[in-house]
Amino acid sequence: MQGTDHTMESQTLEIADLTCRFGAHRALDAVSLSVGAGEFVSILGPSGCGKSTLLRSIAGLEAVEGGTIRIGGQSVDGLRPRDRGVAFVFQSYALYPHMSCAENIAAPLRMSELGPLGRLPLLWRLSGRMRRTRESIADRVGATARQLQIEPLLGRRPAALSGGQRQRVALGRALIREPALFLLDEPLANLDAALRNRTRTDLRALQRRIGATTLFVTHDQTEAMAISDRIAVMFDGRIHQVGTPDEIYRDPETLAIARFFSQPHLNVVPAATLRRHIGGATAAGDIRIGGAALEGMAGVVAFRPEDASIRTARRPGLPGLPCTVDHAEHAGHDANLFVRLADGETAVVRIRSHEIADWPQGAEGVLHFDLDAARRFDAPQGEAETPSRAREVA
Amino acid sequence: MARALGWTLLCLAAAVTLLPFVYMLAVSFAAQGTIYSGALLPAPSLAAARENYAFALTEVPLARFMLNGALVCGVLLVLQVTIAAPAGYALAKLPFRGRPVLFGAVIVALMIPMQVPAIPLYVAIAWMGLLDTYTALIAPFVISALAIFLFRQFFVNYPSEVIDAARLDGFSELGIVWRLMVPAAWPAVAAFATISIINHWNDLYWPLVVVTRTEMMTPPMGLAAFRSSGESAGNVGALMAGGVMITAPLVLAFLFFQRALVRGFGMGARA
């Protein structure tokens, strides 16, 4: 890890109005995104939202219909993938199956620095220049392998490696090119849970050390929040919100984003229901949610189970909703208590797991929630709970 | 019980298939007088074997025929693979307008027997003055629909992400074909090589159409000429010795490629 580290000249990435269509389906719908030099940005969304297509478009692997991509201020539209100066790590790692790990890692350098003659066996020995190039490639493969701690694996074929080892080899193949931009397409998805968490930390540490601008695609919001400088949330081929993990977690712009960042549960109660049943010393007119008065509010109010609490009796001076306990789910330190509100909606309250016994099925209680943490959203219409529809309603 | 029956049937089929070869070998080792003695297999004799093989080799240029066969099959195979591998890659992995139609055309081409285009091909070759040349023997078969089909079926299963990775790493499209796809598809290459070599080594029809000079003849054609040539008429032992000699390379090649052949077709069929 001494002087052998790759350090890259960080480059900015600017995407403007990128559109990509598969038949009638818009995989990317006017996507715009700016990434600063050395920044680590996650693209987060459910499967099929177009996040992989976005990454592939930046790499030049997907033909786009419109829009521009600039890397380091230079437009790369129309450039071949190899000329864009980007490195890609695929979810399946995409190693060359019949080559050893050393050959896999060396492949980008062999293709760019050796001519067709230099790649032939034996012939390269005749030329001093070719020999020196080959030696320099071998040195850099060794340095990259040291950096990733995969030196003992260099002679093996990918088939003889574990998932984590393959992932490192794939990372090495990307790293050795010293690219302007790293594109990582769910590189952790095929690892088991324990390894995934460790690799996540390693990956971010590596990225900080080499300072490469990185775009990281994932469907896992905890992964995105843990690793990113900023997150771009994508649904249906469009970026819906860009912000730091904290901004998006605290202030999701749409109900869909709120749901995505509150897995597995988010409580969503219509404002009208809330108005009807909320009781307390204060009148409904004095209750404010997300800076707006509940009186006359339309749409729905959402709050997380961890921002809710349940008591046997209303706390004086605080608004609360009467509810009936349905069942509890043990989750280690905490537990999720499922309750039914007066109008039949289900809500979830986070309690300590030792409190489960206090809340048998059918018990009556009052649900309080943190009014400052709650957010108001436009009501989803019927099955149209997609944020794009919700936006149209707005 | 069913297993035993299966074994018996397989053994019977194997025996029926092998018997002509065994008989050919036995007759090539036998003296002229003992062949029609009525025994199931004529008794071999070293002197008779030497005489039969020497006669076959000296009466006609059998070595030349075999050289011709090897040259035609070898050059043909190289050209067929050179053309079919990129074609199969394009049909399997490159989306382009008209690809389904083109692939359909390949399948249709598979079903057209050689005899159909024989006359126009002959006319064209004669018009170019290429009768009695290696070109006449090779050129009509250089584009093999079977090879394109086989490679396409094999390449379709190759992971597309690896191809994308190769494009990012700077491989050209042809580099992808020759450095990634073909090495991964060697069972298909071996399977096709076996079929192609057997077909063209054994082909009697096309050489009869375009070749008349003895020194351009391929093994089966040479053998046919040998059978009908004046002096050897009736010399069954020598004829069989010639048969053994031109069959041997194929049998050896098959034994060599056997495993790959089975794998190649097995995987091709699954796709």
Side-chain angles (χ1 to χ4, degrees):
Chain A
M1 310 272 146
Q2 312 83 21
T4 58
D5 274 14
H6 296 279
T7 42
M8 306 179 184
E9 238 178 281
S10 300
Q11 300 285 10
T12 57
L13 168 71
E14 284 136 52
I15 302 166
D17 285 327
L18 203 63
T19 300
C20 178
R21 214 190 287 259
F22 297 132
H25 172 67
R26 269 171 193 255
L28 296 178
D29 189 359
V31 169
S32 297
L33 180 67
S34 278
V35 180
E39 201 179 11
F40 193 114
V41 173
S42 288
I43 300 168
L44 176 69
S47 61
C49 73
K51 55 194 192 299
S52 286
T53 308
L54 174 59
L55 216 57
R56 293 171 55 82
S57 303
I58 297 168
L61 295 170
E62 215 74 70
V64 296
E65 202 175 279
T68 55
I69 301 166
R70 288 169 174 276
I71 298 173
Q74 299 287 315
S75 167
V76 297
D77 304 321
L79 286 186
R80 289 179 298 180
R82 60 206 273 191
D83 298 326
R84 296 191 176 203
V86 302
F88 206 112
V89 176
F90 294 87
Q91 184 177 353
S92 66
Y93 314 134
L95 297 174
Y96 306 124
H98 64 287
M99 293 185 194
S100 72
C101 294
E103 288 168 328
N104 263 285
I105 296 173
L109 298 185
R110 285 171 59 95
M111 297 313 290
S112 60
E113 294 176 18
L114 288 173
L117 283 180
R119 293 197 292 267
L120 289 175
L122 298 175
L123 206 67
W124 56 273
R125 288 175 196 278
L126 302 175
S127 146
R129 194 173 51 83
M130 282 186 200
R131 200 163 50 232
R132 277 192 300 281
T133 310
R134 283 209 166 212
E135 276 161 11
S136 127
I137 290 176
D139 286 347
R140 280 176 283 168
V141 169
T144 304
R146 256 194 309 286
Q147 194 175 352
L148 295 166
Q149 293 162 342
I150 49 173
E151 282 171 292
L153 311 175
L154 283 178
R156 293 205 221 154
R157 294 258 173 116
L161 302 183
S162 71
Q165 292 169 331
R166 278 181 217 179
Q167 200 259 352
R168 276 163 183 263
V169 174
L171 213 52
R173 188 175 63 180
L175 210 54
I176 202 162
R177 308 175 52 179
E178 310 195 347
L181 181 63
F182 262 114
L183 304 172
L184 311 176
D185 190 2
E186 308 230 14
L188 309 178
N190 290 353
L191 304 178
D192 62 62
L195 190 59
R196 190 158 56 228
N197 283 342
R198 218 185 63 211
T199 313
R200 182 170 90 188
T201 313
D202 288 353
L203 188 66
R204 186 62 222 261
L206 180 73
Q207 189 268 344
R208 283 216 171 90
R209 213 160 60 226
I210 62 181
T213 313
T214 304
L215 226 50
F216 178 90
V217 158
T218 179
H219 64 267
D220 181 340
Q221 82 286 356
T222 52
E223 196 169 280
M225 285 193 281
I227 204 170
S228 317
D229 292 323
R230 284 191 302 150
I231 300 173
V233 189
M234 235 180 134
F235 290 103
D236 296 330
R238 289 164 61 189
I239 290 183
H240 281 251
Q241 190 174 0
V242 184
T244 64
D246 203 54
E247 282 166 8
I248 296 182
Y249 183 78
R250 301 228 174 274
D251 246 329
E253 275 179 17
T254 65
L255 184 57
I257 298 173
R259 277 193 207 281
F260 207 81
F261 276 80
S262 312
Q263 291 175 34
H265 306 292
L266 179 71
N267 296 315
V268 180
V269 183
T273 306
L274 217 52
R275 218 164 19 240
R276 207 156 39 243
H277 295 286
I278 207 157
T282 34
D286 299 336
I287 299 174
R288 300 182 73 79
I289 289 167
L294 180 59
E295 193 63 56
M297 183 183 279
V300 296
V301 171
F303 55 95
R304 296 193 166 93
E306 52 267 42
D307 293 325
S309 61
I310 186 167
R311 312 179 130 254
T312 44
R314 186 185 310 284
R315 244 172 104 180
L318 274 181
L321 294 164
C323 63
T324 314
V325 173
D326 195 58
H327 68 281
E329 276 176 6
H330 202 294
H333 180 268
D334 289 329
N336 290 317
L337 189 68
F338 289 74
V339 300
R340 214 165 280 287
L341 302 180
D343 275 1
E345 286 99 348
T346 300
V348 184
V349 183
R350 184 70 52 86
I351 58 172
R352 299 284 296 277
S353 49
H354 64 76
E355 295 168 340
I356 290 178
D358 303 340
W359 298 102
Q361 189 177 14
E364 304 274 327
V366 175
L367 186 152
H368 293 281
F369 62 93
D370 183 348
L371 295 177
D372 296 329
R375 292 288 176 270
R376 190 207 77 89
F377 297 106
D378 294 316
Q381 290 196 333
E383 59 172 63
E385 286 196 32
T386 58
S388 55
R389 293 290 184 83
R391 279 203 156 180
E392 281 164 22
V393 171
Chain B
M1 183 59 202
R3 215 179 151 79
L5 190 73
W7 274 104
T8 316
L9 280 174
L10 279 178
C11 287
L12 262 170
V16 168
T17 313
L18 280 175
L19 200 65
F21 289 93
V22 174
Y23 194 71
M24 176 173 74
L25 202 62
V27 171
S28 78
F29 288 153
Q32 179 74 0
T34 62
I35 293 171
Y36 299 111
S37 63
L40 184 61
L41 289 175
S45 96
L46 196 61
R50 194 178 297 145
E51 195 185 316
N52 286 341
Y53 281 84
F55 189 81
L57 280 169
T58 51
E59 176 65 19
V60 286
L62 202 62
R64 174 69 197 244
F65 297 159
M66 290 172 65
L67 204 69
N68 286 345
L71 193 79
V72 167
C73 288
V75 172
L76 188 52
L77 181 63
V78 169
L79 292 176
Q80 281 174 328
V81 173
T82 307
I83 291 169
Y89 168 67
L91 285 175
K93 290 293 182 188
L94 302 180
F96 58 90
R97 194 183 271 269
R99 184 171 79 166
V101 177
L102 221 52
F103 185 52
V106 169
I107 290 171
V108 169
L110 273 177
M111 298 178 221
I112 298 175
M114 181 57 209
Q115 282 74 9
V116 173
I119 290 174
L121 277 172
Y122 172 79
V123 171
I125 289 166
W127 182 76
M128 289 186 282
L130 290 172
L131 289 176
D132 268 322
T133 60
Y134 289 120
T135 311
L137 286 168
I138 293 170
F141 306 101
V142 159
I143 298 173
S144 164
L146 178 66
I148 295 172
F149 177 75
L150 207 62
F151 287 155
R152 186 261 176 200
Q153 294 304 83
F154 229 82
F155 292 166
V156 151
N157 291 327
Y158 198 87
S160 294
E161 288 202 336
V162 177
I163 296 174
D164 286 336
R167 289 192 183 126
L168 282 158
D169 284 348
F171 284 77
S172 64
E173 294 300 304
L174 282 175
I176 290 171
V177 173
W178 297 113
R179 298 177 149 265
L180 298 180
M181 309 288 272
V182 171
W186 72 267
V189 177
F192 174 71
T194 313
I195 299 171
S196 170
I197 290 171
I198 289 176
N199 266 343
H200 294 286
W201 183 274
N202 283 343
D203 185 27
L204 182 58
Y205 176 77
W206 189 246
L208 274 177
V209 172
V210 293
V211 166
T212 48
R213 271 160 53 212
T214 310
E215 61 271 30
M216 292 307 301
M217 287 180 179
T218 56
M221 193 186 175
L223 204 63
F226 176 42
R227 197 188 61 173
S228 52
S229 74
E231 286 174 55
S232 61
N235 191 345
V236 181
L239 194 62
M240 289 301 143
V244 168
M245 281 187 281
I246 72 157
T247 314
L250 287 192
V251 174
L252 291 178
F254 177 77
L255 290 178
F256 187 75
F257 283 127
Q258 190 186 17
R259 201 170 274 262
L261 191 66
V262 172
R263 259 187 68 191
F265 281 117
M267 287 169 90
R270 204 181 50 194

